[in-house]
Amino acid sequence: MTRTLIRNGLVITATDELTADVLVEDEKVVALADPALAESWSADTAIDATGMYVVPGGVDAHTHMEMPFGGTTAADTFETGTRAAAWGGTTTIIDFAIQSVGGSLREGLDAWHGKADGNCAIDYAFHMILADVNEGSLKEMEALVGEGVTSFKLFMAYPGVFYSDDGKILRSLQKGAETGGLIMMHAENGIAIDVLVEQALAKGHTDPRYHGEVRHALLEAEATHRAIKLAQVAGAPIYIVHLSATQALAQVAAARDEGYNAFAETCPQYLFLSTDDLGRPGFEGAKYVCSTPLRPAEHQAALWRGLRTDDLSVVSTDHCPFCFKGQKDMGIGDFSKIPNGLPGVETRMDLLHQGVVDGHISRRRWIEIASATPAKMFGLYPRKGTIAPGSDADIVIYDPAATQVHSAQTHHMAVDYSCYEGRETTGKVRTVLSRGRVIVDGGEYRGKAGDGTFLSRDTCQYLR
Ligand code: DUC
Ligand code: ZN
Ligand code: ZN
């Protein structure tokens, strides 16, 4: 047995802040105690965390490693992307396995297991994208829930690719209600968006900034409203992914006020970036093309408020990186051909900590939206998302006073640009433990591909 002792840090969870020593045996946290009481504890390794925060590793519930999309493939593999996550203090990801049109859920899930198995730096789980809702795939949902893939993403956007019509969505929601599977919705009216894309291009509006204009905030709000109503008809909960518009947030808030199980996440890019970035000169704006799109800066205050009031429960990244050279440039002269997606798995914990520094959220809320709630939402708590006896020892020792300047030169994601190039933030990961083993320490990576294992998840823990 290996015993590790983390001494004298400020332990922050979603519910508590206390100066404590944390005792880890092998992969698990076994005890926390006041440092004076813990003086007699012995360990093979003692880590001094004086002046540091000791927080549960981040749980990023929305990533797309090596996702084939938009005629290319997301640049981070499971190996590079999970390593970058670890550098940024995230110790669990939930990635999206994809059903092909004409294929089964099983084939899609097996393919994603094949990509991830033996390659991940940190623990991982899967949601399943339903790209072809039919009798067969609906029937398969139950088996997947049984093996720990307990959430399913549907798209109201991307006609001809991932799109599901309202009938398919309703049937999936009914199946979700029956099996305990949580339906996650990409809520944008893709049929209307495609009309606006065609009209924009016909007018010669080809620059990246038109990506934001055609993906109108009202088309996110309309789809969010429709998704919630369909969920109510089916008697199912619903989780809205990557919410970016104030008007969509209002739909979620209204449903929650009426007592419905409507949940939503936003992403750091919607809190820190805006249409000003999409409108950068030349083709630079392509770096900021993702869907839902970035919104005018005034939406940011509403999103921070939603995070404080819990109308937004989770912050995930939607990490889906495409290189500026060789991938984003597929859309020079036609914004609709720019692969949609941004890098972010490494920067989420730091950006949200900056939200603490800037006074938007408290330290405990930081941990709640970045670790505890995603773990509960997707059936991983308290194994993940907290520091408590019995939890996996996924622990980040975080220096709240260190500053850093974000740059593609220094980040670990396999992408040739940073959305936050030159931006200074306060707070920095010092040490990361994944199931009791130090994998990042003081600027050195000490883990290896294959350290991370697949997590079979329970169903949503807010619903029972
Ligand atoms: N949005 C993105 O920006 N990328 C991947 C898929 C999605 O829905
Ligand atoms: Zn999406
Ligand atoms: Zn996504």
Side-chain angles (χ1 to χ4, degrees), residues 257-443:
D257 288 349
E258 288 170 28
Y260 289 102
N261 288 314
F263 305 101
E265 68 174 19
T266 190
C267 309
Q269 53 268 32
Y270 308 122
L271 297 164
F272 287 90
L273 303 170
S274 73
T275 44
D276 294 347
D277 295 294
L278 258 181
R280 288 188 188 210
F283 191 62
E284 199 69 6
K287 293 177 177 173
Y288 302 92
V289 166
C290 60
S291 296
T292 59
L294 301 182
R295 304 294 180 194
E298 54 268 23
H299 289 247
Q300 293 170 359
L303 297 180
W304 283 115
R305 187 169 59 247
L307 286 170
R308 288 193 295 276
T309 60
D310 207 33
D311 288 322
L312 293 168
S313 310
V314 170
V315 178
S316 309
T317 60
D318 199 10
H319 176 78
C320 190
F322 297 103
C323 287
F324 187 57
K325 291 208 172 62
Q327 294 191 294
K328 289 284 188 184
D329 54 13
M330 291 160 67
I332 292 175
D334 179 351
F335 69 85
S336 71
K337 295 202 164 55
I338 301 169
N340 287 202
L342 302 188
V345 77
E346 189 172 351
T347 43
R348 182 184 67 124
M349 297 299 282
D350 288 329
L351 289 165
L352 291 178
H353 181 260
Q354 186 62 38
V356 176
V357 172
D358 294 342
H360 294 299
I361 51 173
S362 69
R363 293 189 289 212
R364 277 171 282 182
R365 187 65 180 153
W366 169 46
I367 298 309
E368 191 167 27
I369 59 182
S371 299
T373 300
K376 288 177 189 168
M377 190 68 70
F378 297 108
L380 289 168
Y381 195 86
R383 180 171 176 192
K384 306 295 187 187
T386 193
I387 298 176
S391 298
D392 280 357
D394 287 3
I395 297 174
V396 174
I397 301 173
Y398 196 81
D399 184 345
T403 57
Q404 59 179 316
V405 177
H406 296 267
S407 172
Q409 303 303 314
T410 48
H411 74 200
H412 302 86
M413 299 175 284
V415 60
D416 61 358
Y417 74 95
S418 167
C419 291
Y420 307 100
E421 189 68 40
R423 190 185 289 241
E424 185 177 280
T425 56
T426 300
K428 194 171 173 17
V429 168
R430 196 192 76 185
T431 306
V432 179
L433 286 80
S434 169
R435 274 184 287 106
R437 278 186 308 106
V438 173
I439 57 168
V440 173
D441 189 36

Side-chain angles (χ1 to χ4, degrees), residues 64 67 69 153 155 158 186 242 290-292 318 320 340-341:
H64 299 284
M67 180 197 193
F69 192 54
K153 184 178 177 189
F155 288 77
Y158 304 127
H186 181 127
H242 48 53
C290 60
S291 296
T292 59
D318 199 10
C320 190
N340 287 202

Side-chain angles (χ1 to χ4, degrees), residues 68-149:
F69 192 54
T72 183
T73 302
D76 264 316
T77 61
F78 278 90
E79 181 175 348
T80 63
T82 55
R83 194 166 56 220
W87 274 103
T90 285
T91 50
T92 302
I93 60 160
I94 313 179
D95 203 87
F96 288 82
I98 304 180
Q99 176 201 17
S100 309
V101 176
S104 66
L105 302 190
R106 171 68 48 205
E107 286 162 348
L109 183 58
D110 286 351
W112 257 257
H113 273 301
K115 293 175 203 234
D117 187 28
N119 292 320
C120 293
I122 54 168
D123 289 349
Y124 62 96
F126 291 124
H127 313 285
M128 187 83 220
I129 287 178
L130 292 179
D132 192 354
V133 177
N134 55 45
E135 281 309 321
S137 51
L138 287 168
K139 214 176 261 163
E140 282 187 281
M141 284 172 69
E142 185 162 5
L144 263 67
V145 170
E147 58 194 77
V149 178

